[in-house]
Amino acid sequence: MDWSLLARTCDSPAGIAATLEGNIREQSETARDSLPILRTGLPHLAEARARVAVELEAAELAGARIVTVLDAGYPANLRLVPDRPPFLFHLGDLSDADRRSVAVVGTRGASEDGISRAMRMSKGLVAADVAVYSGLALGIDSAAHVAALNAGGRTVAVLGHGIASKVYPAANEGLAKRIVHEGGALFSQFWPLSNPARWTFPRRNVVTSGSALGSIVIEASRTSGAKMQARIAYEHGKRVFLLRSLVAQESWAAKMVAVGRAVEVATLEDVLERLDTAPASPTRAKEPYHQLSIADL
């Protein structure tokens, strides 16, 4: 069954009750496709509950907590996108400050100039009371997290694996601990014991984009996950900021700017002035950008 459909359908006690009766209130192609799967699966809930108990125990042992779409504490920006996950496990506290947040992302194989640009941008965002989100990957993501911490700001790492599994990449285990220790948080939409896989990182990008008001792409080739993040952010109705150096070097970035799906920025001020006029809710996000399937889990 489509994972984000589950989040949209089960966002209230009445929605849960309807789902457990084998009904889906949403009228969409995704709902029609998921309905027979739901009705086939309902008789096997006892097995599912047993698995969930194991996962919840693992999360508790890791010191993590869970927030669901039923909870007031579910991240406010993420709640607005249609492909939100039904729950997040988190290490570190949720914060109202995350309503004003930006994702700083880019390639793992970053240049020295790219690392410097990411760190300057992240430091400037923190100085403007903006929380910095990224994906805990090597390269640009790591630079963004480290700069935010060094500036005494809040940063959130969105994981591509379960909150109770080993940190990936292993080289960033120390950074992950530092983020939590210094007032930030780690987020995961996956079952706590899930390992990273190729399909988990596009989903990670959905949460990274959805949790922020916009995404700044520092460096990214046409095959980079950061390029996907830019496209997802546009589909979410978020601000998409592409550095001038990136637009000059990459045709995909230049095309996004040319067709109005992103804005070219050269300075922090370029970002902040547009961030302050960001819409309160998405204007384009009507259908899920990335279909999420329980079968994949």
Side-chain angles (χ1 to χ4, degrees):
M1 182 176 172
D2 183 83
W3 203 224
S4 54
L5 173 66
L6 198 63
R8 298 192 300 274
T9 300
C10 295
D11 61 357
S12 68
I16 291 176
T19 302
L20 290 175
E21 291 171 358
N23 299 311
I24 299 176
R25 296 176 299 173
E26 181 175 300
Q27 299 297 313
S28 67
E29 182 179 351
T30 301
R32 289 191 294 273
D33 291 343
S34 292
L35 188 59
I37 300 171
L38 170 66
R39 292 175 176 172
T40 300
L42 282 173
H44 306 286
L45 276 185
E47 300 169 26
R49 289 192 178 104
R51 175 187 175 182
V52 169
V54 171
E55 297 284 356
L56 291 177
E57 182 179 6
E60 184 176 4
L61 289 173
R65 288 167 287 172
I66 185 172
V67 63
T68 80
V69 289
L70 292 167
D71 301 319
Y74 190 88
N77 294 329
L78 186 59
R79 190 184 292 279
L80 296 174
V81 302
D83 46 1
R84 58 191 175 271
F87 55 73
L88 290 173
F89 287 93
H90 60 98
L91 280 165
D93 293 331
L94 303 173
S95 174
D96 285 340
D98 292 349
R99 291 174 182 266
R100 184 171 165 81
S101 57
V102 168
V104 179
V105 297
T107 183
R108 291 171 173 81
S111 68
E112 290 186 11
D113 285 344
I115 294 293
S116 295
R117 290 173 182 135
M119 296 191 79
R120 287 197 301 270
M121 188 64 71
S122 190
K123 180 181 178 180
L125 289 169
V126 165
D129 294 322
V130 179
V132 174
Y133 273 67
S134 201
L136 200 68
L138 299 176
I140 298 298
D141 290 18
S142 296
H145 290 306
V146 168
L149 293 171
N150 289 348
R154 176 170 168 84
T155 187
V156 176
V158 183
L159 305 179
H161 55 77
I163 202 81
S165 66
K166 292 182 179 180
V167 170
Y168 180 86
N172 275 349
E173 182 178 0
L175 176 57
K177 291 178 179 178
R178 184 185 173 194
I179 289 171
V180 176
H181 180 71
E182 297 186 19
L186 308 181
F187 283 2
S188 174
Q189 64 184 300
F190 305 106
W191 293 113
L193 295 173
S194 298
N195 292 318
R198 174 170 290 189
W199 57 267
T200 63
F201 293 102
R203 298 191 187 194
R204 187 268 310 273
N205 292 343
V206 169
V207 170
T208 309
S209 165
S211 298
L213 293 176
S215 291
I216 305 172
V217 184
I218 305 295
E219 282 187 340
S221 69
R222 63 181 181 82
T223 59
S224 170
K227 175 191 173 183
M228 177 182 290
Q229 169 109 4
R231 185 168 54 164
I232 293 171
Y234 171 77
E235 294 291 336
H236 280 165
K238 308 284 187 172
R239 298 294 193 193
V240 182
F241 304 106
L242 306 181
L243 285 200
R244 179 170 296 171
S245 54
L246 173 66
V247 175
Q249 294 172 3
E250 293 290 340
S251 60
W252 71 264
K255 183 177 180 180
M256 282 197 76
V257 171
V259 299
R261 294 189 173 191
V263 294
E264 179 182 321
V265 295
T267 66
L268 173 68
E269 288 69 28
D270 293 337
V271 173
L272 294 177
E273 69 180 23
R274 291 172 173 84
L275 191 66
D276 289 336
T277 59
S281 60
T283 57
R284 291 179 295 276
K286 296 181 180 179
E287 290 294 331
Y289 170 74
H290 187 75
Q291 299 297 321
L292 309 181
S293 169
I294 288 178
D296 288 338
L297 293 172

